[in-house]
Amino acid sequence: MRRRSKRAPNISESTGKIGQQLPSNQPAPLVPSYPDDVQAASPATQQPSEKRQGTQERKPRSDWSAPAAQGRLEVETQPADIPTAPATGAEGGERAQEAPKGVVVLAIGLPGSGKTTWFGRRGVSPLSSDLLRGILFDDVEEQRYQGLVFSTLRSMLRARLIARMPWNYVDATNLSVHERRQWIKMAKSFGYEVHAVFFDVPLEVCLERNRKRDRSVSEDVMRKMAEKLKPPAFEEGFAKITVVRVKNPS
């Protein structure tokens, strides 16, 4: 009887059998290579522009401004008109030493703060946790597999970065620094710039909008999420922060 030779343990994620022995008559699975080179293949991406300073002290939401650091800060008011396409090339006479391969945009805000509307006005189809729940479980309200949902969402973003897609949008609440860290780390590892769109909308406005939804979140959960919400800061790694507010929130 022929003895089957042993091979090293399988460490490929692609097989789903990490640590198991591969039979000798089965070729080793292909393992993708993710190059560390962050030099841009084509520099048709947005260049870093003028740098503005925020304040270090955190203020109430209605007066919030970004902590002091290098980055770009913009403020919008809901509803906003559809903007023109992002400008390319250096702004203000500045030229980056190394152009990013593209941009990853993170939405940050409570349910009912206007994230989906903001994307819709711009004709953007973001990577969305709700959309993914519908695809995976046929139910956008399914909450039992949050780890699976977001690990799949990160895999989808990674695939876009490998494909060098220039603009990438993530539609999720992204309430805490911890939740945002993995997105930022991934984007920067591929040489991408990271932008934040912070929906600085009062809790009472979000609650009122939430009550009118067919698919609403309980008020108790909303208030707990509001306590967890931390505004983005340039120190997290954002190159640009856009703050979206409502007209006459009272």
Side-chain angles (χ1 to χ4, degrees):
M1 178 182 297
R2 291 175 54 191
R3 296 185 60 186
R4 298 171 63 180
S5 61
K6 292 185 178 180
R7 291 188 179 180
N10 182 10
I11 59 173
S12 171
E13 290 180 317
S14 62
T15 64
K17 300 179 179 179
I18 297 175
Q20 297 186 19
Q21 301 290 337
L22 287 174
S24 59
N25 61 350
Q26 177 180 324
L30 295 176
V31 180
S33 174
Y34 305 133
D36 294 330
D37 179 25
V38 297
Q39 286 287 355
S42 63
T45 54
Q46 188 176 18
Q47 304 283 342
S49 61
E50 79 177 274
K51 302 173 182 179
R52 301 188 182 175
Q53 299 292 331
T55 57
Q56 184 65 36
E57 179 183 0
R58 180 178 174 183
K59 302 179 181 178
R61 291 251 146 61
S62 58
D63 299 322
W64 176 85
S65 58
Q70 294 183 347
R72 286 165 280 160
L73 177 66
E74 293 184 359
V75 178
E76 296 182 8
T77 303
Q78 299 177 346
D81 295 330
I82 299 176
T84 56
T88 58
E91 299 179 70
E94 296 182 3
R95 184 171 185 82
Q97 296 180 352
E98 185 177 292
K101 293 178 181 177
V103 178
V104 174
V105 181
L106 298 185
I108 300 168
L110 296 171
S113 60
K115 299 187 298 297
T116 301
T117 301
W118 189 88
F119 284 119
R121 284 180 177 276
R122 285 150 180 78
V124 171
S125 298
L127 298 176
S128 165
S129 54
D130 284 348
L131 175 64
L132 193 54
R133 289 186 189 96
I135 294 174
L136 295 177
F137 314 117
D138 300 325
D139 183 1
V140 296
E141 298 185 22
E142 176 59 71
Q143 298 292 323
R144 291 178 296 174
Y145 306 103
Q146 292 291 80
L148 177 60
V149 168
F150 281 94
S151 64
T152 305
L153 206 60
R154 286 190 292 271
S155 295
M156 293 173 68
L157 176 60
R158 180 181 286 106
R160 289 183 60 87
L161 301 185
I162 292 172
R164 296 177 181 264
M165 302 303 291
W167 284 87
N168 306 272
Y169 300 85
V170 179
D171 182 6
T173 55
N174 292 315
L175 301 176
S176 68
V177 174
H178 174 74
E179 292 172 0
R180 301 190 288 257
R181 184 176 297 131
Q182 294 187 63
W183 298 110
I184 296 170
K185 182 178 180 181
M186 180 191 300
K188 287 183 172 293
S189 71
F190 280 90
Y192 278 67
E193 193 172 85
V194 190
H195 296 180
V197 182
F198 174 46
F199 293 81
D200 186 25
V201 180
L203 174 59
E204 296 307 317
V205 174
C206 295
L207 287 171
E208 180 62 26
R209 292 176 177 176
N210 181 65
R211 295 185 193 105
K212 298 177 181 179
R213 286 178 161 184
D214 294 333
R215 181 174 56 86
S216 61
V217 181
S218 72
E219 182 170 328
D220 182 59
V221 171
M222 286 280 287
R223 293 189 180 278
K224 289 180 180 178
M225 294 176 74
E227 293 175 358
K228 185 179 179 183
L229 175 61
K230 184 175 180 59
F234 291 120
E235 288 85 354
E236 295 179 58
F238 293 113
K240 176 181 177 182
I241 297 175
T242 300
V243 182
V244 182
R245 295 177 174 141
V246 294
K247 290 181 178 179
N248 302 321
S250 56

